[in-house]
């Protein structure tokens, strides 16, 4: 009876020290500012707030916690701002105006959902995607998968080095802790935002048309050129190596994986941070699309040539004297901006491209390191791993840069986008597979809605990118290349089918399960830190 009284309002029968363990309403209001203190308020012998309020406050949003988890998402978002994306943006604006902004928005949202899966895998298991692949797939498929992802990284590196070379050409007319590294990438993103934002303010795009193009899924009067460009946007935005990278970057934050509450909280804040980061990258992409949509949509080569002649530009010969529609790339884009809006526009554009190329190259370094050490289970020194991964990825890039001039370098971006489009299934299928397995993710495995929606999204993205590949191959007009492409397609589709079968098993389609290793593999959780984790 006495214990019941001590849990309600004060009484004369209470012991003299009652006020120490059961504080006054005023003290309770100070301790529990989000809860009313009334006669119905339940006190305990420790003077704490009631359990339901504590539970709600445990899951309340905290800017301090968000700041603690901020970093990996912004490093990941760099891949949405590489020179390949910038070129895709400016071509979209020049060829279709504002009409394809909704495609860019949709592709970014799809990318966010896929990055969510990658982050959850890293947070829940303590392993990144390459390490999980190493433990789940047999040796031969694992090696093939590694080679395919390395191809994607090589393609990404080539685009980034090309972007740096072009930026330096236009401008010519140590070891960091993880927080410092993240701050440096934040600086580069800020440089891109200011550079491309300056161009946006200078050109003054039509805002109603911009909003209409962003939120109304239409493309009136569009033909094959615009359709191909829409497919190119999806291929440029969703990058395969970025899935592997993000699943590794989230390991840089300490999370007690035995504590379900901490894991859930980490997943929440990483998702919020990724949303903010991709929103910033989306705005920068919109700046580029809007600039070229407003200033150069339906412009002809003759018009640009005349304008460049009038301003005394040394690059007039880039634009032939005909009435064909202007075709731009990241090199010509800077030249055209300089002709129409002055030298400052050209130099600021070049600085933005340089920031994009440099930042993406450094994230490519991390991707290569994580992919190789995960797939091959390397335990070498940091220097040896970085040297090997960079040598594999950068050698083709250097050869191309040496034997091609800057005007031809930029034209390779189409081929490199096709190369990375072909590698997408090798990241998207494994991430859906492993995040759907309870043996790996336990209570955090994908639910039925995520399995269905994830499967549909990945099927749609892969189909779109395969269309992009087919369009590119058919434009080569070579019978020999058609035959080679057909033979490679057989092997390629066979391996994709192998991965898809394991994915279907993970999604619950039991009729295709014939002794799959993936479906019965037990969960493996590791707590050891990677090199990235230990840099503090």
């Amino acid at each position: 009876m006495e214990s019941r009284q001590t849990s309600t309002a004060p009484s004369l029968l209470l012991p003299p020290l009652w006020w120490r363990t059961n504080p006054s309403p005023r003290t309770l209001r100070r301790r529990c500012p989000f809860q009313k203190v009334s006669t119905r308020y339940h006190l305990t012998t420790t003077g704490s707030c009631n359990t339901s309020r504590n539970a709600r406050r445990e899951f309340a949003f905290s800017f301090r916690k968000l700041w603690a988890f901020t970093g990996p998402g912004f490093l990941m978002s760099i891949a949405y701002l590489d020179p390949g994306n910038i070129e895709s943006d400016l071509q979209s604006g020049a060829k279709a105006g504002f009409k394809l902004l909704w495609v860019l928005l949709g592709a970014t949202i799809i990318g966010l959902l896929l990055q969510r899966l990658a982050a959850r895998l890293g947070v829940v298991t303590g392993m990144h995607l390459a390490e999980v692949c190493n433990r789940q797939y047999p040796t031969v498929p694992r090696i093939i998968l590694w080679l395919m992802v390395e191809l994607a990284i090589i393609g990404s590196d080539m685009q980034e080095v090309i972007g740096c070379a072009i930026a330096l050409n236009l401008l010519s007319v140590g070891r960091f802790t993880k927080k410092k590294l993240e701050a440096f990438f934040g600086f580069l993103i800020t440089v891109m935002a200011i550079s491309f934002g300056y161009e946006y303010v200078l050109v003054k795009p039509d805002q109603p048309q911009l909003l209409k193009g962003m939120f109304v899924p239409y493309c009136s009067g569009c033909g094959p050129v615009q359709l191909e460009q829409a497919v190119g946007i999806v291929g440029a935005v969703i990058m395969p190596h970025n899935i592997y990278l993000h699943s590794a970057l989230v390991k840089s934050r300490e999370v007690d994986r035995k504590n379900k509450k901490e894991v859930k909280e980490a997943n929440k804040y990483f998702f919020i941070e990724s949303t903010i980061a991709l929103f910033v990258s989306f705005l920068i992409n919109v700046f580029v699309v809007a600039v070229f949509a407003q200033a150069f949509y339906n412009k002809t080569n003759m018009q640009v040539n005349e304008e460049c002649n009038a301003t005394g530009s040394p690059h007039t010969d880039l634009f032939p004297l005909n009435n064909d529609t202007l075709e731009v790339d990241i090199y010509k884009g800077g030249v055209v901006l300089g002709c129409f809006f002055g030298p400052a526009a050209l130099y600021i554009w070049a600085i933005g491209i340089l920031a994009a190329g440099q930042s993406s190259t450094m994230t490519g370094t991390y991707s290569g390191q994580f992919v190789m050490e995960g797939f091959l289970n390397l335990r070498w020194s940091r220097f040896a791993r970085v040297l090997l991964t960079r040598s594999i990825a950068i050698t083709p890039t250097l050869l191309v840069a040496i034997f091609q001039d800057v005007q031809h370098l930029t034209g390779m971006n189409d081929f490199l986008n096709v190369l990375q489009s072909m590698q997408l299934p090798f990241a998207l299928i494994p991430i859906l597979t492993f995040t759907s397995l309870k043996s790996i993710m336990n209570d955090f495995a994908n639910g039925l809605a995520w399995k269905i929606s994830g499967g549909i999204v990945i099927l749609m993205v892969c189909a779109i990118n395969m269309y992009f590949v087919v369009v590119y191959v058919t434009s080569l007009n070579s019978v020999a290349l058609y035959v080679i492409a057909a033979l490679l397609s057989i092997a390629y589709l066979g391996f994709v089918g192998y991965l898809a079968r394991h994915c279907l098993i993970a999604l619950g389609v039991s009729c295709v399960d014939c002794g799959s290793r993936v479906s019965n593999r037990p969960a493996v959780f590791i707590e050891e830190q990677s090199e990235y984790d230990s840099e503090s």
Side-chain angles (χ1 to χ4, degrees):
M1 188 70 177
E2 183 177 347
S3 62
R4 181 174 299 177
Q5 287 179 335
T6 59
S7 65
T8 58
S11 170
L12 295 176
L13 298 177
L14 293 173
L17 297 180
W18 175 90
W19 59 273
R20 292 186 179 180
T21 56
N22 293 273
S24 67
R26 181 178 180 180
T27 303
L28 285 169
R29 288 191 188 97
R30 188 170 62 251
R31 291 185 182 178
C32 307
F34 302 105
Q35 181 169 348
K36 286 185 176 181
V37 178
S38 66
T39 55
R40 292 177 296 173
Y41 194 91
H42 296 288
L43 304 179
T44 65
T45 56
T46 59
S48 63
C49 307
N50 66 18
T51 306
S52 61
R53 174 56 65 179
N54 276 338
R56 284 194 290 271
R57 291 186 66 187
E58 284 175 357
F59 294 100
F61 179 79
S62 167
F63 281 104
R64 181 177 295 179
K65 288 183 179 179
L66 177 61
W67 178 252
F69 286 100
T70 296
F74 281 91
L75 265 72
M76 167 273 295
S77 71
I78 288 292
Y80 291 74
L81 296 169
D82 69 354
N85 273 286
I86 301 301
E87 178 156 332
S88 175
D89 293 336
L90 65 89
Q91 288 180 347
S92 171
K95 292 179 180 180
F98 299 103
K99 298 176 183 178
L100 297 179
L101 277 173
W102 62 274
V103 178
L104 177 63
L105 176 62
T108 304
I109 293 173
I110 291 173
L112 174 63
L113 299 179
L114 295 173
Q115 299 299 159
R116 175 186 179 272
L117 296 181
R120 284 172 68 87
L121 181 70
V123 170
V124 173
T125 67
M127 296 182 290
H128 54 74
L129 180 55
E131 290 173 325
V132 178
C133 290
N134 175 271
R135 287 159 174 77
Q136 296 292 329
Y137 288 124
T139 302
V140 174
R142 183 172 72 242
I143 297 299
I144 296 174
L145 195 58
W146 167 62
L147 292 174
M148 294 298 101
V149 178
E150 282 291 346
L151 275 177
I153 294 173
I154 289 171
S156 176
D157 275 341
M158 293 176 76
Q159 285 183 312
E160 289 142 14
V161 173
I162 287 168
C164 291
I166 290 170
L168 291 171
N169 184 278
L170 289 172
L171 288 171
S172 67
V173 212
R175 179 177 174 134
F176 288 104
T177 64
K178 61 176 181 291
K179 275 296 183 184
K180 290 180 180 178
L181 181 68
E182 290 163 0
F184 180 65
F185 279 110
F187 168 74
L188 292 175
I189 292 174
T190 303
V191 170
M192 284 184 272
I194 293 173
S195 300
F196 300 136
Y198 170 84
E199 310 285 358
Y200 182 87
V201 172
L202 187 67
V203 174
K204 299 176 182 177
D206 186 339
Q207 301 302 314
Q209 286 297 317
L210 186 150
L211 293 174
K212 182 180 179 182
M214 188 181 299
F215 296 109
V216 179
Y218 86 112
C219 194
S220 61
C222 292
V225 173
Q226 287 76 22
L227 177 61
E228 183 179 343
Q229 190 58 47
V231 173
I233 291 173
V234 178
V237 168
I238 303 173
M239 318 228 1
H241 68 281
N242 209 33
I243 304 296
Y244 288 87
L245 175 65
H246 197 198
S247 66
L249 292 176
V250 296
K251 292 171 59 182
S252 64
R253 301 304 189 267
E254 292 184 5
V255 178
D256 182 4
R257 293 179 177 86
K258 298 177 182 178
N259 187 327
K260 183 177 177 181
K261 173 182 168 294
E262 282 196 28
V263 173
K264 187 175 182 179
E265 187 176 64
N267 284 328
K268 179 180 76 171
Y269 283 107
F270 276 129
F271 180 67
I272 294 172
E273 187 237 359
S274 298
T275 303
I276 296 171
L278 290 189
F279 176 72
V280 172
S281 71
F282 172 71
L283 286 183
I284 296 174
N285 282 311
V286 168
F287 288 162
V288 178
V289 174
V291 165
F292 284 84
Q294 181 68 32
F296 308 117
Y297 177 49
N298 281 336
K299 282 281 194 302
T300 64
N301 287 322
M302 182 75 74
Q303 291 173 307
V304 176
N305 188 289
E306 292 174 355
E307 188 68 28
C308 288
N309 263 326
T311 56
S313 171
H315 304 288
T316 307
D317 58 327
L318 292 175
F319 311 101
L321 293 171
N322 57 46
N323 286 318
D324 291 346
T325 302
L326 174 68
E327 292 189 5
V328 290
D329 47 45
I330 53 176
Y331 181 73
K332 289 182 180 179
V335 172
V336 172
L337 286 171
C339 292
F340 279 79
F341 301 102
L346 182 148
Y347 293 131
I348 292 173
W349 170 262
I351 291 170
I353 296 297
L354 183 62
Q358 285 297 314
S359 56
S360 299
T361 300
M362 286 181 277
T363 57
T365 300
Y366 267 119
S367 299
Q369 177 182 332
F370 290 135
V371 164
M372 178 167 283
E373 74 177 16
F375 275 111
L376 303 185
N377 197 25
L378 296 180
R379 289 295 177 262
W380 297 354
S381 68
R382 174 185 168 82
F383 175 78
R385 279 183 286 129
V386 172
L387 180 63
L388 179 60
T389 55
R390 290 297 84 199
S391 298
I392 291 175
I394 210 70
T395 300
T397 307
L398 291 176
L399 293 176
V400 170
I402 290 171
F403 295 107
Q404 291 282 352
D405 59 78
V406 71
Q407 285 87 356
H408 291 91
L409 273 178
T410 188
M412 288 193 63
N413 273 319
D414 287 340
F415 168 75
L416 297 174
N417 281 335
V418 168
L419 178 65
Q420 292 185 82
S421 295
M422 293 181 66
Q423 312 311 316
L424 266 176
F426 307 126
L428 304 190
I429 295 177
I431 195 64
L432 180 62
T433 300
F434 298 133
T435 55
S436 298
L437 286 173
K438 269 193 168 295
S439 62
I440 292 177
M441 300 292 288
N442 292 329
D443 294 337
F444 295 94
N446 294 330
L448 181 61
W450 267 100
K451 289 179 180 179
I452 295 174
S453 58
I456 293 173
V457 165
I458 290 175
L459 181 63
M460 179 179 66
V461 170
C462 291
I464 289 173
N465 282 278
M466 288 305 101
Y467 172 82
F468 188 32
V469 172
V470 170
V471 168
Y472 180 81
V473 171
T474 54
S475 67
L476 298 177
N477 296 321
S478 171
V479 175
L481 290 177
Y482 292 161
V483 173
I484 294 173
L487 294 176
L488 291 176
S489 296
I490 294 174
Y492 174 83
L493 293 175
F495 187 57
V496 171
Y498 171 85
L499 297 178
R501 171 177 166 267
H502 287 299
C503 185
L504 290 173
I505 294 170
L507 295 178
V509 183
S510 56
C511 61
V512 297
D513 187 1
C514 301
S516 168
R517 172 182 172 178
V518 169
S519 61
N520 298 315
R521 185 83 169 181
V524 180
F525 298 97
I526 62 172
E527 295 295 335
E528 60 192 52
Q529 291 184 315
S530 69
E531 287 288 334
Y532 181 79
D533 304 347
S534 61
E535 294 174 6
S536 55

